[in-house]
Amino acid sequence: MLLRLDIQLFSGEKTEKATPTKRREVRKKGQLAKSMEVPAALTLLFTFACLLVWGKNFIEGCLNIYRHSFREYMLWDLSISNTKQLFSQILLDGVKITAPILLVALVIGVVANVMQVGFMFNFTLIKVDFAKLNPLQGLKRLFSLRSLVELAKSILKITIIAVVLFLVIWKQKNEFLLLGQKSIWDVASFVGTLTIRIGLAAAACLIVLAAADFIYQKFSFEKKIMMSKQEIKDEYKKMEGDPVIKGKRRQIQRQMAMNQMIREVPKADVVITNPTHFAVAIRYDIKTMDAPQVIAKGQDFLALKIKEVAKEHKVMIVENKPLARALFAQVEIGEIIPEELFHAVGEILAYVYYQEGRYKGMMT
């Protein structure tokens, strides 16, 4: 009894990797190995890289808006139409200078997610679930182990990034002391360059942390979807069908095939027997068939059934032990007899035609 209980407990342990079917099921539910740090890190990196390349044009665009504001817009008469045109023009200019950066951020965000989980469109995940609005469930999630892990990750991330950014700024401490002696353009250039360096340094830190987080999420996900041996067996049964039902289905199919075969026996010209163990029904039509065909065969009980049907429909039964064995072993139902058995079967058919007083053609 204890041994059986131990076996049941062991079979219930989740020690096996998830099957492809289980993976498809959890994917449909939106459960995937995905790190939110990966798109954030890549988006930050490519955004600042874009600023590094597009920065000069970005600054020029901002200065152009500034120049137009004081050289043209300030001279306009204050009216509703001019105000609409002013805001429309500033909005259009702002979109032109920020569109490349925003487009890069959008593309990288999409690519980063596709890299992790592939293409997936599941509109069932956006339906409203009022169970998630339960305050008690929210408190449980807030103080769960997963929330504590996320909190620890956030603190670690902020600490590492803060240290790296401090080191980047600390290297430029002497430049800060000289800012008062520089022109506005030089100060803006220094601040812009330092900002890009800070952004790239922060992005580099985030990429390292994102890689570690993705590995953790992958490990956690694989552990979460692990299956027990019993679950794998149940899944196999569900896919293949219950063995009992499957056996009954096979039995019904065999019965249907046997009934169909028995219905073909009355069309036979002769039934060759062993005499009790084997029975093979032969049919031959000289006008439509190139050679005799086996339309039914059986062993033991089925052989007796074939002979009973043959007697009922007055189909001649001929005993030939070696020929019956050879036909049963070599020829399947619906196939023509092999060439090496033509002569033996031809002699029997000729005998049957002679006994019945009819002529269908003789085989030589």
Side-chain angles (χ1 to χ4, degrees), residues 15-139:
T15 57
E16 307 300 317
K17 290 184 177 180
T19 61
T21 303
K22 177 67 177 292
R23 293 180 185 277
R24 286 193 294 269
E25 289 178 355
V26 297
R27 183 180 177 83
K28 289 180 181 179
K29 297 177 181 178
Q31 299 176 12
L32 302 165
K34 177 182 176 182
S35 171
M36 299 303 296
E37 306 296 335
V38 173
L42 292 178
T43 301
L44 185 65
L45 174 65
F46 280 89
T47 299
F48 277 98
C50 184
L51 281 173
L52 184 62
V53 176
W54 183 258
K56 187 176 181 180
N57 294 328
F58 181 81
I59 294 173
E60 287 292 336
C62 292
L63 290 175
N64 285 333
I65 295 176
Y66 179 81
R67 292 191 190 101
H68 285 302
S69 297
F70 284 90
R71 291 177 181 177
E72 297 180 17
Y73 303 150
M74 293 292 291
L75 302 177
W76 288 5
D77 295 331
L78 184 61
S79 64
I80 295 176
S81 59
N82 286 343
T83 304
K84 289 182 179 179
Q85 186 177 355
L86 172 64
F87 279 101
S88 299
Q89 189 63 42
I90 293 176
L91 178 62
L92 181 61
D93 293 338
V95 169
K96 286 181 180 179
I97 63 176
T98 58
I101 301 172
L102 296 177
L103 182 62
V104 168
L106 175 63
V107 172
I108 296 302
V110 173
V111 171
N113 283 284
V114 172
M115 286 171 53
Q116 295 185 85
V117 301
F119 290 98
M120 185 180 72
F121 297 95
N122 192 345
F123 295 102
T124 59
L125 299 178
I126 62 176
K127 65 180 181 180
V128 179
D129 187 1
F130 293 101
K132 294 182 179 180
L133 301 177
N134 189 341
L136 295 178
Q137 295 294 332
L139 288 174

Side-chain angles (χ1 to χ4, degrees), residues 85-234:
Q85 186 177 355
L86 172 64
F87 279 101
S88 299
Q89 189 63 42
I90 293 176
L91 178 62
L92 181 61
D93 293 338
V95 169
K96 286 181 180 179
I97 63 176
T98 58
I101 301 172
L102 296 177
L103 182 62
V104 168
L106 175 63
V107 172
I108 296 302
V110 173
V111 171
N113 283 284
V114 172
M115 286 171 53
Q116 295 185 85
V117 301
F119 290 98
M120 185 180 72
F121 297 95
N122 192 345
F123 295 102
T124 59
L125 299 178
I126 62 176
K127 65 180 181 180
V128 179
D129 187 1
F130 293 101
K132 294 182 179 180
L133 301 177
N134 189 341
L136 295 178
Q137 295 294 332
L139 288 174
K140 289 181 180 179
R141 288 193 297 269
L142 183 62
F143 296 100
S144 64
L145 179 61
R146 183 179 182 84
S147 298
L148 295 176
V149 172
E150 293 296 329
L151 177 62
K153 284 165 45 182
S154 299
I155 294 174
L156 179 64
K157 179 172 65 174
I158 293 172
T159 303
I160 293 175
I161 293 176
V163 170
V164 172
L165 297 187
F166 173 78
L167 293 176
V168 172
I169 296 173
W170 185 254
K171 288 182 180 180
Q172 304 293 326
K173 62 181 183 298
N174 295 329
E175 295 290 336
F176 279 102
L177 298 176
L178 300 175
L179 287 179
Q181 303 174 10
K182 294 182 178 182
S183 64
I184 295 177
W185 180 257
D186 291 336
V187 171
S189 177
F190 170 76
V191 173
T193 303
L194 182 62
T195 301
I196 292 176
R197 287 181 181 176
I198 290 173
L200 293 176
C205 293
L206 283 176
I207 286 177
V208 175
L209 294 173
D213 184 61
F214 179 76
I215 294 173
Y216 166 76
Q217 295 292 344
K218 188 74 174 177
F219 171 78
S220 177
F221 174 75
E222 291 295 331
K223 186 176 180 181
K224 182 179 178 181
I225 65 173
M226 287 182 73
M227 304 173 66
S228 64
K229 295 182 182 295
Q230 186 60 41
E231 287 176 336
I232 294 177
K233 290 180 180 179
D234 294 340

